[in-house]
């Protein structure tokens, strides 16, 4: 079965993916940080049985059975959090074959249910998450308060317990220096936007995550509608800016230079891949390059360090990993 990120999605030229995540806890059990390992395992057992009883078709992965780079690879693919990958005690993962549904057991909350979709698919992701949520709740009795909503470990998640986000590819708006203004605008509307790759001092590539910040005093559907409305406006702004960027000789040169480097490089770091593939993706999205965005997006996922180690079945040193990445890229672009 093809992974979710290889399927075509609405507005995929700008919107890489959609994620809806629900935080839930079982009534009568303390939050995971207050549970010892045997108690966590007991909670896991209860949740896994509920999933099996509802025939959700999810594979159970005991985090203790994974190597360090296998766990890190899951984090690179945004299936689990980095913290979940680094501490496996009393933790398990439920995962669908195409990786669009994942449930972290005993992270910050007993359940972190996540649905991933290609492109702009907020309503579809929410519908699927709600269906799984309802099925599990029939067996688990989630902790809920009439005034506060779903009870969660983090106060910021109280209410719906829902975090929805989209990954946006915004090379043109970045090029004209509009991201800071955009960040200020969306923050006033209950949203936040932040770089997907890089750290606090260095951004890599022009990928951004736009997500809701309000979970209390607003319904799931209202939060989704607000996020979709703002996303649509950003899509239109990016497309307008792209027309001007790719019509210039400088813009075209940047696309072809990035394409040339990826097609010929013999050593390629993760940062270089993300930097160059961003403009190659722009070229593909506007029809300048004969490539599809789905395969390019796959490369940003499966060619990160731990994922390459997992693919090769060994922990490679940096040089060998960069060599393997360059070979994989050249094969994809042939």
């Amino acid at each position: 079965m093809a992974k979710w990120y290889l399927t075509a999605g609405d507005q995929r030229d700008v919107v890489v993916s959609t994620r809806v995540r629900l935080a839930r806890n079982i009534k009568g059990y303390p939050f995971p940080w207050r549970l010892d390992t045997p108690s966590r395992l007991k909670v896991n057992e209860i949740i896994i049985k509920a999933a099996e009883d509802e025939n959700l078709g999810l594979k159970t992965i005991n985090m203790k059975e994974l190597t360090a780079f296998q766990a890190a690879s899951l984090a690179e693919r945004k299936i689990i959090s980095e913290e979940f990958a680094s501490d496996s005690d009393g933790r398990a993962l439920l995962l669908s074959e195409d990786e669009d549904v994942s449930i972290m057991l005993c992270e910050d909350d007993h359940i972190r249910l996540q649905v991933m979709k290609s492109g702009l698919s907020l309503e579809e992701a929410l519908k699927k998450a709600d269906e799984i949520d309802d099925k599990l709740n029939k067996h688990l009795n989630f902790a809920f308060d009439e005034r506060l909503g779903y009870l969660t470990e983090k106060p910021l998640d109280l209410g719906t317990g829902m975090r929805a986000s989209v990954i946006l590819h915004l090379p043109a708006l970045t090029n004209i220096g509009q991201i800071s203004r955009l960040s200020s605008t969306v923050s006033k509307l209950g949203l936040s936007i932040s770089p997907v790759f890089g750290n606090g001092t260095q951004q890599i590539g022009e990928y951004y995550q736009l997500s809701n910040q309000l979970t209390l005093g607003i319904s799931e559907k209202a939060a989704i509608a607000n996020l979709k409305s703002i996303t649509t406006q950003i899509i239109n702004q990016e497309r307008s800016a792209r027309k001007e960027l790719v019509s210039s000789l400088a813009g075209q040169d940047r696309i072809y230079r990035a394409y040339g480097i990826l097609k010929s490089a013999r050593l390629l770091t993760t940062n270089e891949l993300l930097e160059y593939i961003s403009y190659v993706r722009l070229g593909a999205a506007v029809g300048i390059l004969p490539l599809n965005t789905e395969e390019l997006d796959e490369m940003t996922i499966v060619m990160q360090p731990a994922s390459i180690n997992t693919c090769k079945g060994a922990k490679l040193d940096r040089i060998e990993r960069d060599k393997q990445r360059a070979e994989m890229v050249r094969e994809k672009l042939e």
Side-chain angles (χ1 to χ4, degrees):
M1 179 181 292
K3 304 303 183 186
W4 66 266
Y5 44 79
L6 284 173
T7 61
D10 189 35
Q11 318 295 339
R12 187 68 184 260
D13 60 320
V14 177
V15 185
V16 177
S17 63
T18 294
R19 180 186 77 165
V20 169
R21 191 210 73 199
L22 302 178
R24 299 289 187 261
N25 290 282
I26 304 173
K27 187 176 181 180
Y29 287 85
F31 293 130
W33 68 272
R34 294 182 57 195
L35 296 174
D36 58 19
T37 298
S39 298
R40 286 186 181 185
L41 293 174
K42 177 62 177 177
V43 169
N44 291 350
E45 182 182 332
I46 293 169
I47 299 169
I48 291 168
K49 185 178 187 307
E52 291 174 344
D53 288 345
E54 288 296 326
N55 297 312
L56 296 183
L58 304 176
K59 176 184 178 181
T60 300
I61 300 173
N62 183 339
M63 295 302 295
K64 272 289 188 185
E65 297 176 356
L66 301 183
T67 64
F69 57 79
Q70 285 174 329
S73 176
L74 292 171
E76 288 175 350
R77 285 154 29 220
K78 309 301 181 185
I79 294 171
I80 63 176
S81 66
E82 292 183 2
E83 193 275 335
F84 194 80
S86 65
D87 181 5
S88 59
D89 284 342
R91 288 175 165 175
L93 173 70
L94 301 180
L95 184 63
S96 63
E97 187 177 352
D98 64 358
E99 300 183 355
D100 71 330
V101 175
S102 59
I103 306 177
M104 289 186 288
L105 306 185
C106 286
E107 193 217 28
D108 286 337
D109 298 284
H110 297 147
I111 288 175
R112 283 292 180 100
L113 164 62
Q114 175 177 279
V115 174
M116 298 283 287
K117 292 291 183 183
S118 172
L120 183 58
S121 308
L122 285 162
E123 293 93 343
E124 295 88 338
L126 176 60
K127 180 180 178 182
K128 188 162 189 175
D130 278 344
E131 288 173 352
I132 297 172
D133 183 42
D134 290 342
K135 289 179 179 180
L136 291 176
N137 195 31
K138 288 192 302 183
H139 303 267
L140 301 177
N141 188 19
F142 293 143
F144 185 85
D145 180 86
E146 290 297 329
R147 182 172 62 90
L148 297 175
Y150 288 102
L151 302 181
T152 56
E153 192 273 334
K154 292 182 177 179
L156 288 176
D157 287 332
L158 286 171
T160 61
M162 184 196 77
R163 294 287 177 177
S165 62
V166 291
I167 301 299
L168 303 168
H169 183 220
L170 306 176
L173 289 177
T174 303
N175 183 67
I176 59 176
Q178 289 296 300
I179 301 302
S180 178
R181 180 192 62 81
L182 187 61
S183 177
S184 177
T185 299
V186 301
S187 68
K188 299 173 184 176
L189 301 170
L191 305 176
S192 69
I193 188 168
S194 58
V196 174
F197 302 113
N199 51 43
T201 60
Q202 180 188 22
Q203 178 184 339
I204 307 165
E206 290 81 10
Y207 296 89
Y208 301 86
Q209 177 173 280
L210 179 69
S211 58
N212 73 300
Q213 295 299 294
L214 300 178
T215 60
L216 188 61
I218 185 173
S219 70
E220 292 176 346
K221 289 185 177 180
I224 289 292
N226 183 46
L227 178 56
K228 184 175 183 179
S229 174
I230 302 305
T231 299
T232 301
Q233 294 179 46
I234 295 174
I235 290 171
N236 293 333
Q237 293 174 28
E238 170 65 19
R239 286 177 179 160
S240 178
R242 284 183 182 187
K243 290 179 181 178
E244 184 174 348
L245 177 60
V246 301
S247 66
S248 70
L249 189 59
Q252 294 170 22
D253 181 69
R254 191 164 181 181
I255 290 170
Y256 282 111
R257 280 177 183 267
Y259 186 44
I261 290 172
L262 291 184
K263 286 190 69 175
S264 60
R266 263 48 187 175
L267 290 174
L268 196 62
T269 68
T270 306
N271 289 3
E272 288 171 334
L273 170 68
L274 295 172
E275 178 185 349
Y276 296 129
I277 208 168
S278 179
Y279 265 76
V280 170
R281 190 185 194 280
L282 170 61
V286 299
I288 290 178
L289 297 176
L291 304 168
N292 70 65
T293 55
E294 291 83 6
E295 290 186 354
L296 294 172
D297 291 338
E298 179 192 23
M299 290 161 65
T300 67
I301 295 172
V302 304
M303 294 186 187
Q304 295 190 54
S307 295
I308 290 179
N309 287 338
T310 300
C311 177
K312 299 301 178 181
K315 187 174 182 179
L316 308 178
D317 63 33
R318 182 181 59 81
I319 296 298
E320 182 60 30
R321 202 166 54 235
D322 291 349
K323 176 186 174 184
Q324 292 291 337
R325 183 180 296 109
E327 289 179 359
M328 293 164 70
V329 170
R330 293 199 309 274
E331 289 175 4
K332 285 285 187 180
L333 295 181
E334 283 182 352

